[in-house]
Amino acid sequence: MSVYIDPAVATSLRGFEMPEKLGFGSVMAPVMFRAVCQDGCWSSGELVPYAPLSLDPAAKVLHYAQSCFEGMKAYRTPERGISLFRPERNAARLAHSAERLCMPPVPEALFMEGVRTVTAYCANLVPATSGESLYLRPFLIGTQADLTVSASTSYEFYVIASPSEAYHAGNMRVWVEREDSRAAVGGTGDAKVGGNYAASLLSIARLKKRGYDQSLWLNPGNRQTVDELSGMNFFTVMGGELHTPALNGSILEGVTRDSVIDLARDLGFTVHERAIDIDELLRQVADGTCEEAFACGTAAIISSISVFGDGGESYAVAKAPGLVAERLRQALLDIQEGRGEDRFGWMHPIEPISVD
Amino acid sequence: MSVYIDPAVATSLRGFEMPEKLGFGSVMAPVMFRAVCQDGCWSSGELVPYAPLSLDPAAKVLHYAQSCFEGMKAYRTPERGISLFRPERNAARLAHSAERLCMPPVPEALFMEGVRTVTAYCANLVPATSGESLYLRPFLIGTQADLTVSASTSYEFYVIASPSEAYHAGNMRVWVEREDSRAAVGGTGDAKVGGNYAASLLSIARLKKRGYDQSLWLNPGNRQTVDELSGMNFFTVMGGELHTPALNGSILEGVTRDSVIDLARDLGFTVHERAIDIDELLRQVADGTCEEAFACGTAAIISSISVFGDGGESYAVAKAPGLVAERLRQALLDIQEGRGEDRFGWMHPIEPISVD
């Protein structure tokens, strides 16, 4: 690799102590990858100690939210060492997100160099417990200091990492969000950009007060069919078959969603990608036709949904945790954590680099 | 005022040289106001030299776009010295935007202290040419270092300033944006938040290639009625009467919009706030029923629209610049720049503070 390694990286890594309690996304690895883009030209990447960014107060990202990101994980496997899961998918999606916000796509080679370098140097920080992993957060921000509403001429790309537990554990209570939207038709719903998440925070705050965990977002065009949860895609199980909202431009195409579909079909399940009407779904939950529901995402893996809340009503799902969800979760983790055969070629092994 | 003034402020101000060419939002004043909020408690404010911000790479603003801002101006008036225009309106709107993104509203007193202090110390930087001003950019960002999708526990509020020309000069060519949306129904369209602007950049880039200046955004719910332009509200003149889209939850309530409505009514114009169908409007432009169209905003003041582009067609507006738009622009600037009586009590005088 041509990446420059800052001499201080070794000291940072040697001085790092893994805390006992990880949580999600709060313990940060002591190094990060960085590359800059000026007027369309990318610098080569460098691995440096994790440290505050210096941003001009007029930087575009701070005013016009010119930012996009990815979430991915490095897993520790007993026989194959450290591996990333389908990283080329994240590279492609970051490029798609960047283009939606008029940002220069991070070249795939640079993206891969970034996630590989961080993972290789942080190999010792990849947890060994099942369900835990080194969460990687590649992100791209517009840094030009200028208050006109226009695309930045300069950008910075980073890969930071966080040894983490799963984002959600146990059954989730989801709230059918009838008022707010996370992104518009013709908006940024199929891109992983900051603004979608900002728009979702108020809904999350409201539902937490009602004892729920996540918003279930409806399509902003019809406000009647299910799109996704923030950062997670949605599945149900009915008559032993899987149903998930078809991609429609306002749903983020999850890497885990795609993998679950492939995995489920390989395990013999029928998978329907279709529009899912929320009122029909709630009736099916109420009468038990909908046997299971679950959310999936890189951070959340697969999390069963136990209850749907909608206005004054709540609807308990017949099986939570559901057997199908559990089976898929285990099958996915078996591949990711190296207990099962990598029969789809999803795992991307990383050779650890030691600084000792 | 209880604000702390960093001793280096005087040196920064004395060393500042005003460039001959200002442009908009690219020449930054050498000082800025700052206050921080931790777990809901605001610090007192301080005036410090303009300098890069230090942000943790995991700061919420960089990933989840938890950021909102305001645009306002300080004007130089021949007899009343330096004045701000309706700053309490911007304070209220920033509070509204903050609440939409689960951020703590900046207390009105702190907001006013920020814009007053920056303006008072930068009094020498307020340009004297009509149409030029000291553009103020108050903004609020979530700074907590944590990758969970949730509201930040810590925030920073800044007021930066830029001696600027008007954002737009001359007639604007606007493009009817039929594909993209800037914000969803139930989204953040009526809040001044970064994500709305990020979502607009691709449309602006596309239309610039076609020789247009600004996107005309349609309502994301019906995709048929006019909402606004990015950072500007929309008006037409028909039969000598003014028409502007009624506020509907996806339009930002512009301070200039509100002022233009009051001013126009005071000058004897009838003003209609209503839904404006885009196809009907284009027919009215084509047959001359729509005599004038213009955009207004703090940065843009009032800018006539000369052409609407829509797919393969373009529609030239009968009068551009229009006489009504020109008259309103002059009446507004007369108040802002102190040539006319401040008959609505809009001007907020600022006592300059000298560091010499």
Side-chain angles (χ1 to χ4, degrees), chain A residues 25 50-57 63-65 69 100-102 137 139 147 149 167 180-181 185-186 194 198-199 201-202 223, chain B residues 25 50-58 63-65 69 100-102 137 139 147 149 167 180-181 185-186 194 198-199 201 223:
Chain A
Y50 187 88
L53 313 187
S54 174
L55 281 176
D56 192 284
H63 301 265
Y64 307 130
F69 68 91
R100 179 61 184 83
L101 297 192
C102 276
R137 170 59 62 94
F139 67 100
L147 297 177
V149 180
Y167 195 53
D180 287 1
S181 301
V185 178
L201 297 176
L202 187 59
R223 312 198 91 174
Chain B
Y50 187 89
L53 312 188
S54 174
L55 282 175
D56 192 284
H63 300 265
Y64 306 130
F69 68 91
R100 181 60 185 82
L101 297 192
C102 276
R137 170 58 61 94
F139 67 100
L147 297 177
V149 179
Y167 194 54
D180 287 1
S181 301
V185 178
L201 297 176
R223 313 197 92 175

Side-chain angles (χ1 to χ4, degrees), chain B residues 160-182:
Chain B
I160 58 176
S162 170
S164 290
E165 300 167 16
Y167 194 54
H168 282 282
N171 291 324
M172 288 196 304
R173 295 165 58 87
V174 305
W175 180 263
V176 180
E177 179 55 61
R178 303 261 186 188
E179 291 171 52
D180 287 1
S181 301
R182 60 181 273 286

Side-chain angles (χ1 to χ4, degrees), chain A residues 189-241:
Chain A
D190 71 348
K192 203 164 180 72
V193 303
N196 299 348
Y197 295 84
S200 76
L201 297 176
L202 187 59
S203 169
I204 295 171
R206 276 197 307 248
L207 68 85
K208 292 231 184 248
K209 284 187 195 150
R210 295 171 179 136
Y212 285 81
D213 301 307
Q214 287 291 322
S215 314
L216 184 65
W217 297 102
L218 302 181
N219 184 274
N222 60 38
R223 312 198 91 174
Q224 188 62 37
T225 58
V226 175
D227 268 1
E228 59 161 274
L229 298 88
S230 288
M232 290 172 258
N233 291 110
F234 179 76
F235 283 81
T236 65
V237 183
M238 292 194 252
E241 299 185 345

Side-chain angles (χ1 to χ4, degrees), chain B residues 195-232:
Chain B
N196 299 347
Y197 295 85
S200 76
L201 297 176
L202 188 60
S203 169
I204 295 172
R206 276 197 307 247
L207 68 87
K208 292 230 184 250
K209 284 188 195 150
R210 296 170 179 139
Y212 286 81
D213 301 306
Q214 287 291 322
S215 314
L216 184 64
W217 296 103
L218 301 180
N219 184 273
N222 59 40
R223 313 197 92 175
Q224 187 62 35
T225 60
V226 175
D227 267 0
E228 59 159 280
L229 298 88
S230 287
M232 290 173 257

Side-chain angles (χ1 to χ4, degrees), chain A residues 291-309:
Chain A
E291 302 139 17
E292 297 182 33
F294 63 88
C296 70
T298 294
I301 316 173
I302 288 178
S303 292
S304 278
I305 293 169
S306 57
V307 172
F308 292 82

Side-chain angles (χ1 to χ4, degrees), chain B residues 212-292:
Chain B
Y212 286 81
D213 301 306
Q214 287 291 322
S215 314
L216 184 64
W217 296 103
L218 301 180
N219 184 273
N222 59 40
R223 313 197 92 175
Q224 187 62 35
T225 60
V226 175
D227 267 0
E228 59 159 280
L229 298 88
S230 287
M232 290 173 257
N233 291 110
F234 179 76
F235 282 81
T236 65
V237 183
M238 293 195 252
E241 299 184 345
L242 287 162
H243 298 255
T244 191
L247 300 177
N248 59 12
S250 65
I251 295 176
L252 189 74
E253 185 172 357
V255 178
T256 309
R257 173 189 184 278
D258 186 75
S259 308
V260 164
I261 291 173
D262 285 354
L263 200 52
R265 286 183 176 147
D266 187 64
L267 292 172
F269 290 100
T270 300
V271 183
H272 305 273
E273 295 183 69
R274 64 174 179 87
I276 296 180
D277 182 277
I278 183 62
D279 294 319
E280 186 185 358
L281 172 66
L282 294 175
R283 280 194 299 273
Q284 289 165 327
V285 171
D287 70 17
T289 310
C290 174
E291 301 140 17
E292 299 182 29

Side-chain angles (χ1 to χ4, degrees), chain B residues 44-106:
Chain B
S44 55
E46 50 182 9
L47 190 71
V48 296
Y50 187 89
L53 312 188
S54 174
L55 282 175
D56 192 284
K60 301 264 189 189
V61 61
L62 301 177
H63 300 265
Y64 306 130
Q66 218 188 1
S67 67
C68 57
F69 68 91
E70 277 301 313
M72 51 201 300
K73 285 177 174 174
Y75 301 88
R76 180 176 299 283
T77 71
E79 287 175 20
R80 292 194 302 267
I82 308 297
S83 291
L84 291 168
F85 182 72
R86 310 184 78 181
E88 70 291 347
R89 283 293 193 120
N90 298 94
R93 192 170 63 184
L94 188 69
H96 169 73
S97 301
E99 282 167 354
R100 181 60 185 82
L101 297 192
C102 276
M103 308 168 86
V106 178

